[in-house]
Amino acid sequence: MYIYDDYDQRIVDQRVAQFRDQTRRFLSGELTGEEFRPLRLQNGLYIQRHAPMLRVAVPYGHLTSKQVRMLAHIARKYDRGYGHFTTRQNIQYNWPKLEDVPDILADLATVQMHAVQTSGNCVRNTTTDQFAGVAHDEIIDPRPWCEIIRQWSTFHPEFAHLPRKFKIAVCGSVEDRAATWVHDIGVHVVHNEAGEVGFKVIVGGGLGRTPIVGAVIREFLPQQHLLSYLDAVLRVYNRYGRRDNKYKARIKILVKAMTPAAFAAKVEAEWAHLKDGPMTLTQAEIDRNAAFFTAPAYETLPAEDAGFAQLRSENKAFARWVERNVFKHKVPGYAAVTLSLKATGVAPGDATDAQLDAVADLADQYAFGEIRVSHEQNLILADVKQSDLFAVWEAAKKLGFATPNIGLITDIVCCPGGDFCDLANAKSIPIAEGIQRVFDDQDYLFDLGEIDLNISGCMNSCGHHHVGHIGILGVDKSGSEWYQVSLGGRQGHDASLGKVIGPSFAQDDVPGVVKQIIDVYVEHRQDDERFLDVFDRVGMEPFKTRIYAKERAHG
Amino acid sequence: MVKAPHIVKLDRATGQRQIIANHWLRLAEAADDAVPPHSLLPLKEWLERRDELIGRADVGIWFAPDDEPEALGSDAAQLAIIAVEFPAFTDGRGFSIGRLLRERYGFTGELRAVGDVFKDTMLYLKRCGFDAFEVRADKDVEEAAKGLDDFTEYYQGAADQPLPLFRRRSA
Ligand code: HEM
Ligand code: SF4
């Protein structure tokens, strides 16, 4: 876990003072609403449907128990007792008062937290694999690199007012769990043939109105050049990205218009001037950051704990939870646990103050005091001893966090939609709930296996519907709420965008449509084929035929 | 309250600031023949008359956000003043222009930000190499100047402090 020194703390404290002054000037009329808007957005403060909404940064999804207790305190003191974890590993509060925001920031600063650049047209919070540092398939720990990027991007003077928002994701494992191919920049930490550390750089991915899978613009960038190269990419984008049309302003549009090869050439030309300059990383700085992300005090344990194995074979419910919510750790005898924030009937990603406090306690007791947020909107205890898993499971059950559904169809990624968001075309949360209710039979749910279902309330795609195996998008049809369904999207190294199945559906029909999709899958499945495998093999037709035949029958 | 257009002028060596009246006239296009003293010409116009104007210390240039510092190149080093226009403070292209002029093309004269300039943009501008700020006419200039003090430490290197924090941290 990165720990602030005096410099980091001073920067965050000065930010609190600056934002306090900006808020004061807005409230006194010295700043117009139009002037204040970009300023408050760069601090994660939206004006939403019911109230302001404050998005607090969780850099690369990492939290200490102390920080989680502070998040609970903020939910209790300034909000309505809960917060919402987002697909960008942050947490949002839906009901703060504008006047209170400077005080919230001051409270956050006491635990080395802030809301810097969680929104606005700047470099946003960098995201990564929730299992970074513990994943069995990790090649290189991405967290020091995330921290190096965090510092570089914080109040970067040249890139404070980009054409549009800018999102960077880093991945250091075999499997990509950070959706790097659909970010403005995706960074893969890799070794070259000589065994040196460096980066494969992808640019121009993104979702939203024009979803695009990014393109590789550099196969290998030696590690010391990361920041000068990022400066070059951002400078090209800042200068040549479109500013005339908000919908065409993302870097993906520039890369597409120029072609990735021409864009890469432009970046190389810019970088030639910056390469080996002062922003070249020193080994000392790389080491300094890496030193914060060393392994905790693991015990030497057998690969398989006997007591755990026995409980697992005796207790079916526990075994299920282990199968879905426990992830293979690289250290023998340990496991990473996902606490599911996807209990049926609770908005996906929501947690109450009491739950947050309890999670902090759990982390202290069983997981070296550390908690992570995943971009699928769940919480993670990264380092749990196998021998403690049963106790963690029992505790998680009491908290409502033990739903054994990670990676299953009810582990829905869902934006706040029309219940909270001003931009929504349709509601998302009740759709998620409706679908969860259809799949309430545990045996059936388990049998279906891995299915990502993602819901967004509008084209902005905050719920990542394009990369859901099943994606649901709220659309506006003459003032009423409709839902477009797509199939076949995915977010890993084989990232691709779902294809729309056909005309959209009314709210009440959506759970039934999803059920039909699943029925078609089950009918076509051979052996233990996953939903995606079946879709790739049989294509859209069987799904389409079933659903629209039924629709017609309904009249 | 000092009404703009006044210039907050920063001494880059000492950090001292003064509020001064503006003496430079920004021309939308170049006058026909003689260019009057204290004129700021559009980049394009200046380039067209480069050979005639290059030695004149009383003529400067102003950049629109899509003007390219590359077009001026090392001639920048000979100029006394360049203004960069910010049509809206949310248009960050001028930040890159500032850095390129300072860090790549050796411009050491007065780099002036004009347009939508007020307290909350001052420090970013300074960091990108600006040392003169034509604060928006409806804003309090002295209040705006305080924006230069919002932060005292920065992570990344930029025009005002090329060394990133990581090169200074251990020192
Ligand atoms: C509630 C207020 C919110 C507003 C006003 C908002 C606004 C937007 C907008 C305008 C876009 C479109 C960007 C584009 O042009 O590509 C977008 C995309 C996105 N937002 Fe939000 N959003 C909100 C909440 C959220 C939440 C709750 C999450 C996480 C659950 C989130 C995460 C994202 C993500 C991941 C994208 C996809 C962008 C991409 O990769 O291209 N946003 N949002
Ligand atoms: S996808 Fe649309 S409705 Fe959902 S949070 Fe984003 S902007 Fe709001």
Side-chain angles (χ1 to χ4, degrees):
Chain A
M1 188 82 190
Y2 184 76
I3 296 173
Y4 284 8
D5 66 6
D6 292 347
Y7 290 109
D8 303 288
Q9 189 66 48
R10 198 182 320 153
I11 288 169
V12 167
D13 290 344
Q14 290 179 336
R15 172 53 167 174
V16 175
Q18 184 193 41
F19 194 73
R20 197 180 284 287
D21 175 62
Q22 289 170 340
T23 306
R24 175 191 64 76
R25 282 183 289 137
F26 169 66
L27 292 172
S28 75
E30 275 173 68
L31 277 175
T32 64
E34 201 190 335
E35 287 161 354
F36 187 50
R37 186 171 180 278
L39 303 176
R40 66 169 161 74
L41 284 179
Q42 299 218 335
N43 206 55
L45 184 60
Y46 287 81
I47 304 295
Q48 278 301 308
R49 187 144 289 193
H50 305 287
M53 179 205 91
L54 181 68
R55 185 178 294 151
V56 173
V58 181
Y60 37 94
H62 264 238
L63 291 163
T64 61
S65 53
K66 191 174 167 191
Q67 291 175 326
V68 171
R69 286 192 189 94
M70 178 55 78
L71 295 178
H73 161 82
I74 287 165
R76 209 160 31 236
K77 178 161 177 198
Y78 301 101
D79 208 282
R80 296 194 180 172
Y82 65 96
H84 174 79
F85 290 100
T86 78
T87 49
R88 307 211 65 261
Q89 299 183 303
N90 293 322
I91 183 168
Q92 294 181 174
Y93 293 102
N94 282 308
W95 312 89
K97 289 199 203 54
L98 174 64
E99 309 82 89
D100 285 342
V101 172
D103 292 336
I104 298 176
L105 298 181
D107 285 356
L108 287 170
T110 64
V111 295
Q112 311 196 336
M113 291 187 78
H114 57 73
V116 172
Q117 293 175 201
T118 50
S119 182
N121 296 335
C122 48
V123 183
R124 302 286 188 85
N125 184 33
T126 296
T127 54
T128 192
D129 182 358
Q130 67 270 24
F131 299 122
V134 305
H136 62 90
D137 67 339
E138 186 160 278
I139 304 160
I140 296 161
D141 189 345
R143 295 171 301 171
W145 298 106
C146 291
E147 177 56 29
I148 285 170
I149 295 171
R150 182 192 76 81
Q151 296 186 21
W152 161 81
S153 62
T154 298
F155 304 125
H156 197 303
E158 187 178 345
F159 310 130
H161 295 292
L162 293 166
R164 239 8 212 99
K165 58 173 157 183
F166 204 90
K167 300 171 179 178
I168 303 176
V170 186
C171 158
S173 48
V174 173
E175 221 188 290
D176 173 21
R177 285 177 291 269
T180 54
W181 292 90
V182 288
H183 277 76
D184 296 290
I185 296 182
V187 175
H188 292 176
V189 198
V190 292
H191 290 118
N192 67 2
E193 279 163 17
E196 295 153 341
V197 175
F199 312 97
K200 175 154 129 178
V201 183
I202 300 157
V203 293
L207 302 175
R209 189 171 301 255
T210 314
I212 297 182
V213 174
V216 176
I217 60 161
R218 207 169 214 284
E219 281 294 342
F220 188 80
L221 177 74
Q223 60 173 359
Q224 68 272 23
H225 298 308
L226 178 65
L227 299 183
S228 59
Y229 192 81
L230 289 178
D231 271 329
V233 174
L234 270 287
R235 183 172 285 169
V236 171
Y237 171 55
N238 189 38
R239 295 184 63 196
Y240 304 110
R242 287 184 63 169
R243 289 175 190 264
D244 58 327
N245 180 342
K246 161 177 173 89
Y247 300 115
K248 299 194 166 156
R250 296 285 294 269
I251 194 174
K252 61 192 172 189
I253 305 291
L254 178 66
V255 173
K256 195 174 169 210
M258 289 176 78
T259 77
F263 181 84
K266 191 97 183 149
V267 169
E268 291 289 323
E270 182 62 37
W271 183 53
H273 296 280
L274 300 171
K275 183 173 184 277
D276 300 320
M279 288 305 288
T280 307
L281 281 160
T282 57
Q283 192 59 48
E285 176 64 2
I286 296 170
D287 294 344
R288 187 183 79 88
N289 284 284
F292 291 106
F293 300 97
T294 49
Y298 292 124
E299 294 167 35
T300 307
L301 299 170
E304 184 81 8
D305 179 81
F308 162 63
Q310 192 182 344
L311 284 163
R312 201 177 167 179
S313 65
E314 285 166 359
N315 188 325
K316 186 177 169 199
F318 178 56
R320 274 208 162 134
W321 178 78
V322 170
E323 190 186 327
R324 291 316 323 178
N325 298 34
V326 173
F327 184 79
K328 188 165 181 245
H329 203 287
K330 67 180 183 190
V331 176
Y334 283 85
V337 168
T338 300
L339 301 172
S340 169
L341 304 191
K342 308 295 178 62
T344 299
V346 179
D350 272 12
T352 66
D353 60 333
Q355 284 174 321
L356 289 168
D357 278 333
V359 167
D361 293 343
L362 263 186
D364 281 340
Q365 199 175 350
Y366 298 110
F368 300 98
E370 191 198 280
I371 296 101
R372 300 164 181 211
V373 187
S374 72
H375 83 270
E376 288 89 357
Q377 305 173 286
N378 292 309
L379 295 178
I380 281 88
L381 302 175
D383 298 288
V384 179
K385 280 195 281 191
Q386 284 180 5
S387 54
D388 287 335
L389 284 173
F390 194 80
V392 168
W393 176 60
E394 301 256 80
K397 272 198 294 188
K398 288 203 195 84
L399 291 173
F401 286 167
T403 315
N405 63 350
I406 302 308
L408 302 180
I409 196 167
T410 57
D411 182 12
I412 297 173
V413 172
C414 178
C415 82
D419 292 300
F420 295 98
C421 178
D422 264 350
L423 304 178
N425 286 327
K427 292 196 172 59
S428 311
I429 296 167
I431 299 291
E433 180 174 349
I435 295 167
Q436 285 170 329
R437 295 211 182 279
V438 169
F439 298 95
D440 61 348
D441 178 332
Q442 286 266 325
D443 292 319
Y444 180 53
L445 185 63
F446 258 67
D447 177 56
L448 296 178
E450 197 186 309
I451 300 172
D452 290 347
L453 191 145
N454 295 10
I455 309 174
S456 302
C458 77
M459 245 335 180
N460 289 325
S461 322
C462 300
H464 286 188
H465 66 277
H466 299 287
V467 290
H469 304 171
I470 301 173
I472 298 175
L473 165 66
V475 288
D476 180 72
K477 260 200 342 203
S478 51
S480 56
E481 301 188 357
W482 288 76
Y483 298 84
Q484 192 180 66
V485 175
S486 56
L487 299 180
R490 64 207 70 181
Q491 63 167 19
H493 284 306
D494 55 349
S496 63
L497 308 166
K499 294 179 193 61
V500 176
I501 186 164
S504 51
F505 307 97
Q507 173 169 338
D508 291 346
D509 293 336
V510 175
V513 167
V514 173
K515 178 74 170 71
Q516 287 172 348
I517 291 169
I518 295 307
D519 289 344
V520 173
Y521 156 55
V522 171
E523 286 159 26
H524 284 82
R525 174 163 61 173
Q526 296 167 356
D527 306 321
D528 50 1
E529 261 183 322
R530 294 177 312 159
F531 173 79
L532 265 186
D533 302 330
V534 170
F535 177 80
D536 289 346
R537 186 167 54 76
V538 305
M540 187 65 96
E541 245 359 89
F543 295 96
K544 205 171 183 158
T545 309
R546 172 76 54 91
I547 286 164
Y548 292 101
K550 253 310 198 336
E551 281 284 295
R552 275 194 297 278
H554 273 301
Chain B
M1 166 159 165
V2 185
K3 275 287 184 184
H6 269 75
I7 309 293
V8 177
K9 180 79 179 117
L10 174 76
D11 183 318
R12 286 193 289 145
T14 64
Q16 284 188 344
R17 298 136 203 191
Q18 275 180 286
I19 294 171
I20 57 172
N22 177 27
H23 298 299
W24 292 86
L25 193 62
R26 186 149 53 105
L27 303 176
E29 51 192 84
D32 302 339
D33 4 285
V35 177
H38 291 123
S39 298
L40 296 172
L41 299 185
L43 174 65
K44 185 165 166 286
E45 304 276 356
W46 190 91
L47 288 173
E48 280 164 12
R49 300 173 66 172
R50 174 191 179 275
D51 294 343
E52 165 200 350
L53 297 173
I54 183 85
R56 277 185 65 177
D58 63 347
V59 174
I61 296 179
W62 68 271
F63 271 69
D66 56 355
D67 283 338
E68 310 225 321
E70 289 83 346
L72 181 61
S74 55
D75 282 353
Q78 298 191 45
L79 286 158
I81 177 169
I82 297 177
V84 179
E85 193 199 359
F86 288 81
F89 77 98
T90 50
D91 185 337
R93 285 175 290 182
F95 294 136
S96 290
I97 294 174
R99 286 196 72 176
L100 288 168
L101 289 171
R102 285 286 192 225
E103 296 171 61
R104 192 165 303 164
Y105 299 111
F107 175 60
T108 56
E110 175 179 315
L111 186 58
R112 177 182 288 197
V114 301
D116 196 8
V117 174
F118 57 106
K119 186 175 187 180
D120 305 279
T121 67
M122 300 285 281
L123 189 54
Y124 288 137
L125 289 166
K126 168 183 176 271
R127 300 222 55 220
C128 291
F130 291 85
D131 58 357
F133 313 86
E134 187 177 307
V135 176
R136 232 173 64 192
D138 60 331
K139 294 286 184 184
D140 182 331
V141 182
E142 280 165 24
E143 175 73 8
K146 290 183 196 154
L148 292 168
D149 302 320
D150 280 347
F151 291 91
T152 54
E153 201 47 83
Y154 323 103
Y155 285 115
Q156 40 328 81
D160 61 336
Q161 168 52 280
L163 296 184
L165 181 58
F166 67 74
R167 287 182 187 273
R168 292 177 284 117
R169 216 166 201 145
S170 48

